[in-house]
C-alpha cells in the first residue's frame, strides 16, 4: 500500500486548501474494509489526528478541532481521499500526512491515538501573513 499526498503549500490566514491522498496497492471498490485518515504534526508538537473515512460507506470521523472547518471525502473512481481545509490559521501550519489501515471495524478516535499501518511521506502546509 502506498499513499502520496499533494496539494499542500502556502496560504494566507483565512484561506483554503484541498489536500489529496492518492492511494495505490488496493482499490477502494474492491477492498471496502480500509480506513483512510489525515494527520498532522506541527513543529515541536506531537502527531494529531484530523479525520478518517471508511472506504466501504464513506462514514467519517473528525477530531473536535477539525469539525466545521475540515472535510474529508473520497473519490472511488480515482482512489483518492481529500481533505478540504477552510478558514485556515497559522496554528494549522504543519506537515500533513495521510495514512491507511485495514480494519473490519470502524473505531473512531482509536486511529488518532494508535496510528495506522501505512503512511505517506507528508506534505507541508504553511499558513502565514
Amino acid at each position: 500500500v502506498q499513499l502520496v499526498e499533494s496539494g499542500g503549500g502556502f496560504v494566507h490566514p483565512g484561506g483554503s486548501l484541498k489536500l489529496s491522498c492518492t492511494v495505490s496497492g488496493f482499490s477502494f471498490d474492491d477492498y471496502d474494509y480500509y480506513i483512510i485518515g489525515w494527520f498532522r504534526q506541527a513543529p515541536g508538537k506531537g502527531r494529531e489526528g484530523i479525520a478518517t473515512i471508511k472506504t466501504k460507506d464513506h462514514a467519517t470521523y473528525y477530531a473536535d478541532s477539525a469539525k466545521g472547518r475540515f472535510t474529508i471525502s473520497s473519490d472511488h473512481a480515482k482512489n483518492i481521499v481529500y481533505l478540504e481545509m477552510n478558514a485556515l490559521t497559522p496554528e494549522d501550519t504543519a506537515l500533513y500526512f495521510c495514512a491507511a489501515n485495514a480494519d473490519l471495524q470502524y473505531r473512531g478516535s482509536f486511529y488518532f491515538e494508535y496510528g495506522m499501518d501505512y503512511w505517506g511521506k507528508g506534505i507541508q502546509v504553511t499558513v502565514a501573513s
Side-chain angles (χ1 to χ4, degrees):
V1 176
Q2 292 186 322
L3 305 101
V4 179
E5 302 91 344
S6 61
F10 179 91
V11 64
H12 292 298
S16 299
L17 278 177
K18 188 173 184 178
L19 304 182
S20 299
C21 175
T22 302
V23 182
S24 59
F26 71 91
S27 165
F28 290 1
D29 286 333
D30 293 338
Y31 294 89
D32 61 4
Y33 50 83
Y34 271 89
I35 314 299
I36 312 296
W38 281 99
F39 298 76
R40 68 184 182 184
Q41 187 162 15
K45 295 186 177 180
R47 185 181 65 205
E48 177 188 12
I50 301 171
T52 60
I53 189 166
K54 189 177 177 183
T55 56
K56 180 176 182 179
D57 56 10
H58 302 261
T60 58
Y61 183 90
Y62 291 90
D64 288 342
S65 60
K67 292 177 182 177
R69 292 195 303 128
F70 292 2
T71 302
I72 190 170
S73 61
S74 62
D75 184 329
H76 282 220
K78 297 180 179 179
N79 241 47
I80 293 177
V81 172
Y82 300 101
L83 182 69
E84 186 168 0
M85 307 184 292
N86 299 306
L88 289 164
T89 72
E91 287 68 39
D92 296 311
T93 295
L95 191 62
Y96 283 71
F97 300 88
C98 64
N101 212 75
D103 202 334
L104 294 178
Q105 298 181 4
Y106 191 23
R107 295 185 276 178
S109 62
F110 172 89
Y111 310 104
F112 294 163
E113 182 173 357
Y114 294 102
M116 293 184 145
D117 292 336
Y118 306 101
W119 292 84
K121 293 181 179 180
I123 192 162
Q124 180 67 35
V125 171
T126 301
V127 185
S129 299

